[in-house]
Amino acid sequence: RLLGGAGQSANQLRAAGWEPGNNGSYLQPFEVSVFDTPAAEYLVSINGSPIQPSEYLLLPFGLRPEQTPVEFELVFAGHGVCVPEEGVDDFEDLEVAGKAVVALLGAPWELDPHVIHAPDHGAGKAVQVGTRNGAMLIYVSEEFSDPPPAELSVEAGLLRDLASGHLTQLVEDAHVSAFSGGCLVIGPAVFDRLLADATEGTYEELQERLSRGLPVAKDLPSSLRIEINAETTRHSTSNVVGILPGTDAVLQDEWVILTAHYDHVGMRDVPPGEDGIFNGADDNASGTAAVLEVARRLAEAGPLKRSMMVAFLSGEDSGLLGSAFYAAHPIAPLDQTVVDINVDMVGRSDGTVQGRTPGSSALFEKAVASGAMVGMTVVPDPVPTWRLLYFLDAYHFARFDVPVITFATGGHEDYHQPSDEADKIQFAELEKVVKVVEDLAVHYAGGAEKPAYQRPEWFLTPAP
């Protein structure tokens, strides 16, 4: 699941003329540990009262079985939404470091059931907890009632899928992602039984108070305890890294980095005759192929003033593992990295490609100009409040204030599905994306001024 493609990518970089990037090797190896979450035994309790396995979903990101049991104090964040653009911050004056944060389904507006990463959904709320060094999100949702509603949102389906597979973690203790604390999902009945007294209201009563803007209790006289008993196995995987040294006596110590993740989500058991292979043609074979083609062209053209690196990263779909390891062991000093050009899902263009450049209008403007040269319209992130940077490999460069741009052609119904097939790739448009990435890389590697960067106000990262 994590290893596929590393050797082939290394061979392609070698054939193209790129030098090995890691002490004579094209591989930057690291170790991961894996455990089968459905086979694990979880013991979960609030205030000493156990919660039955049928009453919750546990996504134990960041919880290592050998380091449990763990116990966290609880705080209540209402809906757990932070969108400064809308004047909403449920975390204002709330101390969450080291604590489990309780947040209810919902927001001050109607939810879109067809999205996943928005700040008013579980993933976005988990990010807000993680960026503040919170330990875990306790997400209370009526979609996890018993019995559940007849129709579930996309988010509910994804949470159930995530809780039913394997969990892969870095063996090394390093910061992995803003949502690495994990998530415990419970329904209103469990909340009412175990937390209504502490929060001074049932689920329905609190939803009513929140809808009217009334104050709610924040510090809760409660605690969460989790123990995980599971068999873990260790495996080796690798980032693939190639370099082209620069020619300028001064600028050769600065770097332009192109990144793409080459992993996907593997396979699942399905009835005979059904497709259980997640091909990942768009996510992210398209990005890997695009960067590899750019690498071939750059090597053929010859080195430029700044040094260049291509990094094919492993484990993105398991939680940004490869980019986290790279950030902990950077081959090119992060403070000498001029830009990270990340390419992730670029196979479904309609004549446009998103250039997500949080904090750098200069980088976006150059990407727009590069696109105009080849007939590709580069557009800004259409949903900036989703904070997609937290879910991309570029996160591990941006958190060190490296200017980043992620090229993407947008989501679709085949996202993380076996139906993400190669026959749906728009190859003519993909070729234009390749040219945009190539021109941008040549521009900055050729000696152009480093793009100005101002960290966005919303971009919080956990303290070390």
Side-chain angles (χ1 to χ4, degrees), residues 128-197:
Q128 295 304 321
V129 173
T131 57
R132 293 165 172 80
N133 288 96
M136 172 165 283
L137 171 68
I138 301 178
Y139 188 37
V140 191
S141 169
E142 53 220 60
E143 290 199 296
F144 294 88
S145 302
D146 187 16
E151 293 188 17
L152 296 177
S153 68
V154 172
E155 173 190 67
L158 178 63
L159 290 174
R160 293 180 189 278
D161 286 345
L162 289 173
S164 63
H166 290 77
L167 180 66
T168 305
Q169 300 171 307
L170 283 181
V171 169
E172 178 178 323
D173 187 13
H175 171 63
V176 174
S177 68
F179 48 95
S180 58
C183 181
L184 175 70
V185 188
I186 60 176
V190 176
F191 177 89
D192 291 351
R193 186 175 81 236
L194 300 179
L195 286 171
D197 288 343

Side-chain angles (χ1 to χ4, degrees), residues 349-353 375-378 429:
S349 175
D350 58 0
T352 67
V353 64
M376 171 62 67
T377 302
V378 179
E429 301 302 321

Side-chain angles (χ1 to χ4, degrees), residues 20 34 37 46 49 106 167 185 231 239 258 270 304 321-323 347 394 424 440:
V34 180
T37 52
I46 292 178
S49 297
L167 180 66
V185 188
E231 293 278 344
N239 296 325
L258 289 82
V270 295
L304 295 165
L321 303 184
S323 53
K424 298 179 181 178
L440 204 62

Side-chain angles (χ1 to χ4, degrees), residues 293-315:
E293 179 58 24
V294 171
R296 289 194 185 103
R297 297 179 184 188
L298 292 174
E300 183 177 348
L304 295 165
K305 292 181 178 181
R306 287 192 175 101
S307 297
M308 289 185 286
M309 175 185 296
V310 163
F312 294 115
L313 300 167
S314 179

